[in-house]
Amino acid sequence: MNWCIDVAVQTPAHSALGDVLSYKSPVAVAPGALVRVPLGRREVLGVAWAVRSAGEDPGSEIELKPIAGVLDALPPLGDGWRDLVAFAARYYQRSLGEIALAALPPQLRDLSAVQLARRLKRQAPAACVGGEPAAAVVALTAEQTEALARFEAEPGPFLLFGSTGSGKTEVYLRSVATLLAREPAAQALVMVPEINLTPQLEARFKARFGADAVVSLHSGMTNPQRLASWLAAHGGAARIVLGTRMAVFASMPALRLIVVDEEHDPSYKQQEGARYSARDLAVWRGRREGAKVILGSATPSLESWHRSRPAEGEDAGGSYRRLAMPSRVGAGALPAVRLVDMNLQPPKTVLSGALLDAIGQRIARGEQSMVFLNRRGYAPVLACGDCGWKSECPHCSAFRVFHKIDRTLRCHHCGFTERVPRACPACGNPDIAPVGRGTERLEEHLGELFAPVRRPDGSAVRIARIDADSTRKQGALESQLAAVHAGEVDVLVGTQMIAKGHDFRRITLVSAINPDGALFSSDFRAPERLFGLLMQSAGRAGRDAAYLTAQQSSAEMWIQTHHPQHPLFAALLRHDYAAFAQGELSERAAAGMPPFAFQALLRADARTQEAAQAFLNAASAAAEALPGADRVTRYPAVPLTIQRVANVERAQMLIESGSRAALQKLLAGWQPLLHGLRRQPEGKGVIRWLVDVDPQAI
């Protein structure tokens, strides 16, 4: 008897081939099994999605291709995993195969059944996790104890609203330990927003639960490492999986707990391909699989804050439970915030005299300072004072950034790099100069300013920079962080890479140099991101109360701004996230913006801006005929802020509705129309289009 197998394969984007392709098999294949199937001239990996006898197949008169093989050494992917993939594909408007195959380790696609069986023989057996080592047990605060008690007693999901240094990681560790003590075969997923936060968390979990019980999953690993971690999670050998956003799709048959640390971070939203939110999928997965979910942050996203609101009057409250931990561990105080009014400083002042004096005092006492500037490179622009030439990228509507360390002009959008010209390419003036300031130039400037200063032992001041450029080499980030933790760095300069998650014990002063740009951005989420970034940055200071007492010092956060009266800074001075959130949510409710409305973006990339906008406007007109279109607002097409990247023009259209269901219904009905438009005159010149549901940047 022949069987008809529906297989999810990674079909080309916008191929309109549908979610699954059908193949025939002489034997029944379990749903969720990995299979190898012919696709065009290639043989590709796929996931068996549905199985039925050939007689039940409505298209049985069509001759189907046979599957090439089954990777039967591997247990099938579970119902929960397939439901998660199907939901993500449906909600984020992507094909089933695209999501399913992207969720699997790349090396799995190239292994034959024999090679996979050989790999599985080498896999370690399931780790046996015992109780916590006695040395690892630390005393809990009253707030931590209450949060854990409520976590055990209530269903969740939970928003762990804990100030920086309040001990959120210890709550994660204890909740995992309690779970594993109760269910020895259970699994826990712990997610962080960025790769650079993984090593220190991994060290803490391995110290507590043993190295064999913990694996990592992130894009910084080699393909063999990713495959080994995935197999350990899928087979149940790994009790705890630590990872970035991609780990939300890890196959974990006994998943009982999901932790999303720094849940507010925009990095949880994928920005290429399938634009899913790992945080939102974690909540959905927890509900589907009966796993408890903890979202942790000192500055929660306004969506999570709103969903965790307590019941009040006629408002029944949100669906999340809010666990508050406002105090720092060890009686440590949050840093005092000081605003420096740059309007009172001489023109072109980079670092105010008062801030330099404060950093100098820290150096003299052997303490560390952190200077935060969210712009890498030496200078954002190189310019000619005579003719007005600027270092524009020939392929993008953006400037190339000057990197002094290797004398290059580099576009951070398309990657186009050239050597710095000896003279102005337009007029020949040899005096071309950097305009503005990045972390590389700030590092150099601080080195010049503190060159005469000496540390307590008489040695020269040591300044280090951590950003995407300085950490490019393998192991560079780990060695630089180790130097900071060892006290070998006096002043740490960096981008947002250093602003969140790190537990620096000797930093007593943090400063933000130029944060004003986000105050008046066209993106309504910019103030929320800025407040979170500044509050997270402040949280790096004074984390060790005993160290501050021994040094007879205090923790401070300095912010240099031209707008000291802005309400965002008023809330920051008091470390009052709740007041900031209330103000922002009131404005969003009045304007009908998320979380009180639901949004999507339709983006088009084309050879010309006219072609991109024509496609979007034609798509908007076509949507008029769809059921429920009157409940969804479609705004006119506009260029992106950076409208040209790598010689491709980009435009977007905002779609908004007060009903998530109405928006989803329109998007689903729109898909075939968009595919059809590509073949119409309106689609001429369009390279690709995509739908971004719940966009994080507009």
Side-chain angles (χ1 to χ4, degrees), residues 337-524:
V337 178
R338 302 186 58 168
L339 299 178
V340 179
D341 188 347
M342 296 305 284
N343 299 301
L344 305 179
Q345 300 294 319
K348 298 185 179 178
T349 297
V350 179
L351 295 155
S352 65
L355 174 57
L356 288 172
D357 182 53
I359 294 174
Q361 289 178 29
R362 295 313 199 272
I363 293 170
R365 293 199 296 264
E367 299 168 18
Q368 294 174 320
S369 302
M370 188 174 103
V371 183
F372 165 64
L373 175 65
N374 210 17
R375 179 182 284 154
R376 62 189 172 101
Y378 188 83
V381 186
L382 207 58
C384 172
D386 283 2
C387 72
W389 172 87
K390 291 184 177 65
S391 55
E392 292 179 353
C393 176
H395 310 299
C396 306
S397 49
F399 295 112
R400 282 176 293 162
V401 175
F402 172 39
H403 289 259
K404 187 176 181 181
I405 196 164
D406 57 0
R407 301 292 299 171
T408 59
L409 292 174
R410 194 181 309 156
C411 178
H412 289 176
H413 300 281
C414 72
F416 178 67
T417 304
E418 280 186 330
R419 299 286 296 171
V420 171
R422 294 182 180 276
C424 172
C427 70
N429 171 29
D431 190 20
I432 51 176
V435 177
R437 198 167 299 270
T439 48
E440 193 183 321
R441 191 177 189 185
L442 185 60
E443 178 191 25
E444 179 185 272
H445 186 56
L446 283 164
E448 293 166 354
L449 291 170
F450 288 108
V453 179
R454 288 291 172 266
R455 305 173 78 238
D457 62 2
S459 60
V461 172
R462 289 172 288 195
I463 296 168
R465 170 171 55 92
I466 294 182
D467 56 27
D469 297 316
S470 70
T471 57
R472 207 169 274 169
K473 291 181 182 175
Q474 187 81 25
L477 177 63
E478 289 80 1
S479 62
Q480 286 176 308
L481 289 173
V484 178
H485 289 301
E488 296 168 10
V489 173
D490 301 299
V491 183
L492 176 61
V493 179
T495 56
Q496 64 179 11
M497 282 179 73
I498 61 172
K500 52 199 173 189
H502 296 290
D503 192 19
F504 300 124
R505 311 304 290 180
R506 304 184 195 201
I507 287 181
T508 57
L509 182 146
V510 173
S511 57
I513 299 305
N514 185 21
D516 288 350
L519 293 175
F520 307 103
S521 169
S522 58
D523 186 348
F524 70 90

Side-chain angles (χ1 to χ4, degrees), residues 194-444:
E194 293 181 11
I195 293 171
N196 69 69
L197 298 176
T198 312
Q200 64 179 27
L201 196 65
E202 186 176 20
R204 289 192 67 175
F205 270 85
K206 285 186 174 179
R208 188 72 60 97
F209 299 105
D212 293 339
V214 183
V215 298
S216 290
L217 265 178
H218 56 76
S219 58
M221 302 166 72
T222 64
N223 283 346
Q225 287 172 333
R226 276 173 68 177
L227 177 61
S229 291
W230 187 89
L231 290 173
H234 178 63
R239 294 286 179 253
I240 302 158
V241 174
L242 305 179
T244 50
R245 62 175 175 258
M246 64 183 290
V248 76
F249 289 111
S251 173
M252 301 175 69
L255 182 63
R256 296 293 176 270
L257 171 64
I258 304 175
V259 174
V260 184
D261 192 25
E262 309 290 1
E263 67 86 32
H264 66 279
D265 199 293
S267 300
Y268 282 120
K269 184 73 158 67
Q270 170 82 357
Q271 293 301 329
E272 296 295 331
R275 301 188 170 213
Y276 63 86
S277 165
R279 177 199 65 209
D280 295 348
L281 286 179
V283 175
W284 191 94
R285 186 175 188 181
R287 191 182 305 124
R288 163 62 182 81
E289 301 203 27
K292 285 197 172 183
V293 179
I294 307 177
L295 310 176
S297 178
T299 54
S301 64
L302 290 179
E303 284 83 357
S304 296
W305 184 255
H306 181 65
R307 287 183 192 127
S308 69
R309 68 193 185 281
E312 189 176 332
E314 294 182 5
D315 184 358
S319 57
Y320 297 179
R321 303 284 192 274
R322 189 182 298 169
L323 309 176
M325 297 198 314
S327 309
R328 279 189 153 181
V329 172
L334 289 166
V337 178
R338 302 186 58 168
L339 299 178
V340 179
D341 188 347
M342 296 305 284
N343 299 301
L344 305 179
Q345 300 294 319
K348 298 185 179 178
T349 297
V350 179
L351 295 155
S352 65
L355 174 57
L356 288 172
D357 182 53
I359 294 174
Q361 289 178 29
R362 295 313 199 272
I363 293 170
R365 293 199 296 264
E367 299 168 18
Q368 294 174 320
S369 302
M370 188 174 103
V371 183
F372 165 64
L373 175 65
N374 210 17
R375 179 182 284 154
R376 62 189 172 101
Y378 188 83
V381 186
L382 207 58
C384 172
D386 283 2
C387 72
W389 172 87
K390 291 184 177 65
S391 55
E392 292 179 353
C393 176
H395 310 299
C396 306
S397 49
F399 295 112
R400 282 176 293 162
V401 175
F402 172 39
H403 289 259
K404 187 176 181 181
I405 196 164
D406 57 0
R407 301 292 299 171
T408 59
L409 292 174
R410 194 181 309 156
C411 178
H412 289 176
H413 300 281
C414 72
F416 178 67
T417 304
E418 280 186 330
R419 299 286 296 171
V420 171
R422 294 182 180 276
C424 172
C427 70
N429 171 29
D431 190 20
I432 51 176
V435 177
R437 198 167 299 270
T439 48
E440 193 183 321
R441 191 177 189 185
L442 185 60
E443 178 191 25
E444 179 185 272

